[in-house]
Amino acid sequence: GRTVVNLDGKTDSKPLGNIVTKANGGQSFHNFGLAADLVFKVKGKWSWSDSLPWGILGQHAKALGLEWGGDWEFKDTPHVQLVAGLTINEAQDIGEIAKIWAEVERRMMSF
């Protein structure tokens, strides 16, 4: 949820860069270990450039049963998640990560 592209770009006043997420703690599937943001490495450097093949990444993610943020109204092309229809509210209600993962697994078995 930060804008720092590389650690050399940070400042003392904003060591991790600007906040770019609107989710509070516990309001993201990242908090439950069900989501990840991916990045390309181009010529030895990490890059989130829009010119990279995010669509191909999304196709592969979806082929593996993941949801891809590039399909959302608010595009989040680096984002993938495995939630099997679980909502954030349901995850919050369950609370314990092991139980959340068990619920996702149970739901996946019913697909």
Side-chain angles (χ1 to χ4, degrees):
R2 301 294 179 141
T3 59
V4 169
V5 175
N6 62 57
L7 294 180
D8 297 333
K10 68 182 183 179
T11 66
D12 289 338
S13 64
K14 293 185 178 180
L16 297 176
N18 295 319
I19 295 172
V20 294
T21 182
K22 300 208 183 326
N24 293 319
Q27 293 180 332
S28 167
F29 284 115
H30 290 281
N31 300 122
F32 304 106
L34 296 170
D37 291 322
L38 306 177
V39 62
F40 288 95
K41 195 167 190 179
V42 180
K43 297 181 181 175
K45 295 188 178 193
W46 301 114
S47 177
W48 289 268
S49 170
D50 289 339
S51 66
L52 292 167
W54 294 104
I56 294 170
L57 180 142
Q59 289 173 357
H60 287 289
K62 292 188 289 186
L64 294 169
L66 300 170
E67 292 180 20
W68 177 50
D71 288 334
W72 300 342
E73 184 177 335
F74 174 75
K75 303 284 184 228
D76 188 359
T77 55
H79 184 94
V80 295
Q81 62 186 29
L82 177 66
V83 297
L86 187 77
T87 68
I88 286 293
N89 289 338
E90 290 170 325
Q92 291 168 332
D93 288 345
I94 296 169
E96 187 179 323
I97 289 179
K99 290 180 180 177
I100 293 168
W101 275 78
E103 176 60 16
V104 168
E105 183 177 14
R106 184 191 71 74
R107 290 173 182 224
M108 289 182 66
M109 296 299 201
S110 68
F111 286 134

